[in-house]
Structure formats: structure tokens, C-alpha cells
Amino acid sequence: MFVSRLLCRASHRINTCGPVWCVASRFSTQPPAKDASVRYSLGRPVLSLRLPAGGLGRFTLTPMLTTVGDLLSEITAKDPGVQSASLLNGDGQRISTCTFMETVLDKDFQLIINDVTHNICSLGQGASHEHVLGVDDMKYVVRLLHSALSLPQQLHSKHTNLLGKQEELRKQLQPLETERVKMALEAESRTTQLGWAGLAYLSLQGGFLGYLTWNVYPWDVMEPITFFISLTTSMLFFAYYILTKQEFIYPHVKDRQFLHFFHYRASHQKFNVHKYNELKDELAKVDGDLSVLRNAIRRKPERTA
């Protein structure tokens, strides 16, 4: 219905015979009634008139969408006693049912119901806050309609393109991923070995100091030795903080050594870490776009239903 009204408006704008299409001439011979008026309520014009059955009818108009034919149909449906209804302009010429009420409301007009004339005064040109669609506006509406009609096809086409791109990225990542897994396992093994080596060193140091204390030297001799050994260990931890700007926390130290061994191995095998990270980021982005697109495709049939 909205498209047909747009086409009707377009044909009305192209017409050069005037703002109102005249299909017949007719002058009312009945005295005018004074029980009809147009007022604005909440920004919309409201036509109030006394119907033949005696009731008061109120008809809210949308100037840019409501045509004369729509208004006459509402009046006929409101009161079954209405046998004939038509609109005349100020010159007594009948207004086409295809004419929009926005054009009619600009000037005074007459509403004839069952040969009873209702003179209705206009509120003046431009009183409505709505505007007539221009050529640019109509082009914009046509583009919106075209986008709405072709949206499902565009979604499926984009989904196919993203699937192809995802497959291509996975093919490029497959050899790099295989090589990365091997280097990660090797770096993890060396990091674990380093941890066990540190534990073995501390165990040997504690055993050796205990042996010296109980079997070789008295405690008076070993006490300053253990003090300076503990002080040296504290200095080593502080030196680690100065060099790395991190506290000596075992999980952090393990992660740091893992990265050190991994990049050391990557440099020797000429593994392009930068390219690998770029491909992973691009694949993650494609996966996210696919997830959003699939949700939109699933919601489309629900809205249609």
C-alpha cells in the first residue's frame, strides 16, 4: 500500500494541470452545514463532522499518506447511512480520490455527504509538519525498498564470501600452526627442565650446608656462611626485578622463560611470528563476523513469520 501511494504521489507531482486533478465540475445547490472543522491534535490534523446518523465523527489524517479516497472510505465505513461522499475544492471542482490530503488541506474545500455540503476552512499552507516527498526523497525511499528486498540475498552472499575467506586463512595457518605446536612443546619441555634444575640446585645446596654444619664445622662457623648465602640469594631476586621490571613470581618466571625459549627457537627456524599473529587475528575477526551474520539470518525467518 505504501508503494502504491508513493507511485500515486509521483504521478500527482508530474501532473502539470495544477495541484488538484479535476475530473468533473459540480456546484452544490444545498445550503452549507456548519458542523465540520479541521483541528490539529498531537501534530496531526483531525477532521470533525456530523454524520447523517447524528453522531460526531472524528477522522485523524496523515497528510503525506492519507488520500481523498482513504478519507471517503473511512467516512462510509463509519456511518452505513452515507450513500455518497465527495470532496470539492474552492472552485467547486471534484478532487480526485488519488490526491493526497496534504494538497487538499492547503486551501478551503467542501465535503459533500448525501447532498449535504460541509464547508471546511483550511489552517493555511505549511501548517502540517510533514513535507511532500521530493525527487531525492523518492530516490532514497526506492533505495530503501531495494535494500529491504535484496537483503536476504546479500546476507547469504556475504556468508558465502566469509566462508571462503575462512577456509583460505585456515589453509595458510595450517603449516604455521603445525610448526608452532612443535616449538611450543619444545619450549615447554625446556622450561620444565629448568625448573627441575633449580629445585635440584637448591636441594644440593641445602644438603651440602647441612653436611658442613653437622659433620665438618661448628655452628659458629656456618652461621655467617648461611647468612651471606641467603643475602646473595636475595640480591639475585632483586637483580631479576631490576632487569625484567617484574616480581619473582614462579608462574610469571615460567611464562617468561617459555617465551624466551620459543622465540629463540623461532629465530633459528625462521618462523614468522608476526605473520602468524596477523593470520590468527584475521581469522578471529572472520569467525566473529560469521557468528553475527548467522544470528541475523536465523532471526530473519522469525520476523517474517
Side-chain angles (χ1 to χ4, degrees):
M1 180 181 292
F2 180 70
V3 175
S4 62
R5 290 179 178 178
L6 288 178
L7 295 175
C8 179
R9 178 177 291 279
S11 63
H12 170 66
R13 291 175 58 86
I14 296 174
N15 194 348
T16 58
C17 71
V20 179
W21 180 28
C22 306
V23 296
S25 297
R26 174 181 174 184
F27 290 91
S28 174
T29 59
Q30 298 294 329
K34 298 182 179 180
D35 52 0
S37 62
V38 176
R39 295 290 185 272
Y40 274 88
S41 177
L42 300 178
R44 293 287 181 88
V46 177
L47 174 64
S48 301
L49 58 91
R50 184 71 60 179
L51 297 174
L56 182 63
R58 292 172 57 87
F59 304 93
T60 302
L61 307 176
T62 303
M64 290 182 59
L65 300 178
T66 304
T67 62
V68 173
D70 296 335
L71 176 60
L72 298 180
S73 299
E74 290 182 13
I75 295 174
T76 305
K78 185 80 171 180
D79 188 350
V82 177
Q83 299 178 356
S84 63
S86 61
L87 258 69
L88 306 181
N89 60 13
D91 297 331
Q93 297 173 330
R94 178 180 292 180
I95 303 175
S96 169
T97 56
C98 188
T99 304
F100 285 87
M101 290 303 300
E102 184 177 27
T103 304
V104 177
L105 291 173
D106 287 344
K107 298 179 181 180
D108 297 343
F109 62 95
Q110 294 179 346
L111 174 60
I112 301 178
I113 300 177
N114 294 346
D115 293 330
V116 177
T117 303
H118 301 269
N119 287 331
I120 302 175
C121 297
S122 170
L123 297 179
Q125 187 173 4
S128 173
H129 296 290
E130 299 178 343
H131 62 280
V132 180
L133 287 177
V135 177
D136 294 337
D137 295 330
M138 294 188 66
K139 290 180 180 179
Y140 176 70
V141 172
V142 170
R143 285 197 297 268
L144 288 180
L145 292 174
H146 180 268
S147 300
L149 294 174
S150 60
L151 181 59
Q153 182 180 359
Q154 292 177 358
L155 290 178
H156 288 286
S157 176
K158 187 176 181 180
H159 184 266
T160 304
N161 294 335
L162 288 176
L163 284 177
K165 189 174 182 180
Q166 183 187 53
E167 185 66 23
E168 181 66 24
L169 289 173
R170 286 178 177 176
K171 288 182 180 179
Q172 296 181 22
L173 273 172
Q174 185 175 2
L176 296 176
E177 188 68 28
T178 302
E179 191 174 355
R180 184 201 67 83
V181 171
K182 292 180 180 179
M183 291 189 299
L185 292 176
E186 185 177 352
E188 181 70 22
S189 176
R190 295 191 61 179
T191 303
T192 304
Q193 292 175 7
L194 183 62
W196 282 107
L199 178 62
Y201 168 76
L202 292 176
S203 300
L204 290 175
Q205 177 181 279
F208 182 69
L209 291 176
Y211 169 77
L212 293 178
T213 301
W214 279 290
N215 296 314
V216 180
Y217 301 107
W219 177 246
D220 294 339
V221 176
M222 293 302 300
E223 183 177 8
I225 295 177
T226 56
F227 170 76
F228 282 109
I229 290 177
S230 301
L231 180 62
T232 303
T233 304
S234 301
M235 292 175 62
L236 290 176
F237 290 160
F238 185 71
Y240 177 86
Y241 172 76
I242 293 297
L243 294 175
T244 64
K245 300 298 186 296
Q246 294 180 354
E247 296 183 10
F248 193 88
I249 301 175
Y250 290 109
H252 295 174
V253 174
K254 181 181 179 181
D255 293 341
R256 184 179 180 84
Q257 288 303 123
F258 173 84
L259 291 176
H260 172 73
F261 289 135
F262 180 84
H263 284 278
Y264 177 79
R265 189 66 177 171
S267 62
H268 277 70
Q269 294 189 1
K270 297 181 180 180
F271 179 80
N272 194 340
V273 179
H274 181 68
K275 180 181 179 181
Y276 173 81
N277 291 333
E278 284 185 347
L279 291 176
K280 289 289 288 185
D281 292 340
E282 192 171 356
L283 180 61
K285 182 179 179 182
V286 171
D287 290 340
D289 293 341
L290 276 173
S291 178
V292 174
L293 193 60
R294 285 167 181 167
N295 291 334
I297 293 175
R298 291 192 192 102
R299 287 196 299 266
K300 187 67 177 176
E302 297 177 1
R303 293 178 181 177
T304 304

